[in-house]
Amino acid sequence: MKKILITGKNSYIGTSLDKWLMKDSDKYKVDSISVKGDSWKSNDFSQYDVVFHVAGIAHVSSDPKMEELYFKINRDLTIEIARKAKVEGVNQFIFMSSIIVYGDGSSSKRIIGKDTNPMPSNFYGNSKLQAEEGIKILESDDFKIVVLRPPMIYGKGSKGNYPKLAKLAKLTPIFPDFYNERSMIHIDNLCEFLKVMIDKEESGLFFPQNKEYVQTSELVKKISEVHDKKLKLTRCFNPLIRLIFHFKIINKILGNLVYEHSISNYEKSNYQIRDFNDSIELTELENLE
């Protein structure tokens, strides 16, 4: 039986993985702890095979006053927890980084490959990248490190851009038919990937994503269809969108940011168990419950 400790009690990804693994409760034992304050330091990590570190500040802030906190939580705390895990004999440390280490989306097609150098555009991305670098030096034969750089994660109860787009899809009668491509990953695909990482006792840098790239307009249209709403896509706004693309909110919604498909393939197992259409239907119908 694999014993897994999740740092980030009540986190969306952490609780989702817990539920996913408990489908095979005879194979896994999962505990979760909060790492706010210092009480977590008294926990005995030696009883666990895996520490899955998902705790952190997840949403980007441009407020300069937040920079110190981002590095304290996303970098310094990550390294401290990893060091404790290594000292106390944990075999595998899994860290949730982000595609954000490559910067923002762009107005033109942008494909991130295996050799693409990270170029964070804000202190959120930089804090994640520095955390990666800080824990990488701790790796050894007895302490395997997995770093994941997932794109936008969505599913029932997810936070961030997806629920905002879903809300808009249910309200607006029109949406820009603006061509772009985004990498995304449904929470079930991510949890299956994490399960495989644990089962295979992997180490290294990984880029899990759905099989399909997503066009934002098609995503919004699909969500509206699930809810039996009529939505018309129009190109009449496209000239204006191109003029104001430098605004962060426009870039976030309609920018291009994708991983090359090949770097997300994992030959040992097929983790991409939900296709795009099924994942949207599953997400929206579950959110109605």
Side-chain angles (χ1 to χ4, degrees):
M1 175 179 282
K2 289 276 188 178
K3 295 182 179 179
I4 299 115
L5 177 66
I6 298 173
T7 66
K9 198 174 184 69
N10 300 321
S11 68
Y12 173 64
I13 298 171
T15 54
S16 297
L17 179 63
D18 188 352
K19 292 176 183 176
W20 194 258
L21 294 178
M22 285 304 96
K23 293 178 181 180
D24 293 312
S25 57
D26 58 326
K27 291 177 60 179
Y28 309 97
K29 182 181 185 300
V30 181
D31 293 324
S32 299
I33 60 168
S34 170
V35 289
K36 292 179 180 178
D38 292 328
S39 61
W40 65 269
K41 295 178 182 179
S42 63
N43 282 267
D44 178 14
F45 282 19
S46 67
Q47 60 184 304
Y48 298 104
D49 302 295
V50 181
V51 169
F52 175 42
H53 181 56
V54 72
I57 304 178
H59 300 292
V60 180
S61 170
S62 57
D63 185 351
K65 295 178 182 177
M66 293 290 290
E67 183 171 2
E68 183 179 351
L69 182 61
Y70 270 79
F71 281 98
K72 180 180 179 181
I73 301 299
N74 288 348
R75 179 193 62 192
D76 300 344
L77 180 62
T78 298
I79 295 170
E80 187 177 6
I81 291 171
R83 283 176 177 159
K84 177 177 170 65
K86 181 175 182 176
V87 167
E88 297 187 13
V90 175
N91 299 322
Q92 186 186 44
F93 186 83
I94 303 177
F95 173 56
M96 286 294 296
S97 187
S98 170
I99 196 173
I100 201 69
V101 300
Y102 295 102
D104 297 324
S106 62
S107 57
S108 58
K109 188 169 183 176
R110 182 185 176 204
I111 300 177
I112 298 167
K114 191 174 183 180
D115 298 324
T116 302
N117 290 322
M119 291 197 312
S121 59
N122 52 53
F123 47 77
Y124 169 59
N126 198 16
S127 67
K128 285 289 190 179
L129 183 60
Q130 288 190 28
E132 290 183 20
E133 294 166 349
I135 64 174
K136 191 64 180 174
I137 60 176
L138 300 174
E139 189 167 32
S140 66
D141 291 341
D142 298 323
F143 188 61
K144 297 179 178 180
I145 292 178
V146 171
V147 172
L148 305 185
R149 292 178 181 168
M152 185 173 85
I153 301 162
Y154 66 101
K156 179 184 178 182
S158 61
K159 299 177 181 179
N161 288 335
Y162 180 90
K164 295 174 184 176
L165 285 171
K167 184 177 180 179
L168 180 62
K170 289 178 275 189
L171 294 174
T172 184
I174 58 173
F175 192 84
D177 187 7
F178 189 86
Y179 184 79
N180 72 323
E181 290 183 331
R182 306 286 296 203
S183 287
M184 294 172 60
I185 185 164
H186 184 259
I187 188 65
D188 288 356
N189 289 340
L190 177 60
C191 286
E192 181 63 17
F193 188 81
L194 286 164
K195 178 176 176 287
V196 171
M197 293 292 101
I198 293 168
D199 290 344
K200 304 294 184 183
E201 299 182 355
E202 279 284 8
S203 64
L205 177 61
F206 297 90
F207 313 86
Q209 65 174 330
N210 290 347
K211 290 179 181 178
E212 312 95 336
Y213 296 149
V214 178
Q215 184 175 331
T216 303
S217 60
E218 293 301 323
L219 169 62
V220 173
K221 185 174 176 61
K222 177 63 181 177
I223 293 171
S224 67
E225 288 174 352
V226 173
H227 294 280
D228 295 322
K229 303 289 184 181
K230 290 185 178 180
L231 183 143
K232 180 180 179 182
L233 298 179
T234 176
R235 296 181 181 178
C236 68
F237 301 114
N238 289 4
L240 175 61
I241 290 171
R242 293 188 183 96
L243 283 175
I244 62 173
F245 208 89
H246 58 283
F247 286 101
K248 181 171 285 189
I249 186 64
I250 301 298
N251 190 318
K252 220 171 192 181
I253 296 172
L254 297 173
N256 292 273
L257 191 63
V258 299
Y259 283 130
E260 181 183 313
H261 283 301
S262 63
I263 69 172
S264 299
N265 294 336
Y266 186 73
E267 295 179 357
K268 297 178 185 178
S269 179
N270 176 28
Y271 68 91
Q272 296 164 324
I273 57 175
R274 309 283 188 216
D275 66 24
F276 171 69
N277 286 329
D278 288 344
S279 72
I280 300 302
E281 290 177 3
L282 187 61
T283 298
E284 292 306 308
L285 294 175
E286 284 185 336
N287 284 337
L288 289 174
E289 295 176 359

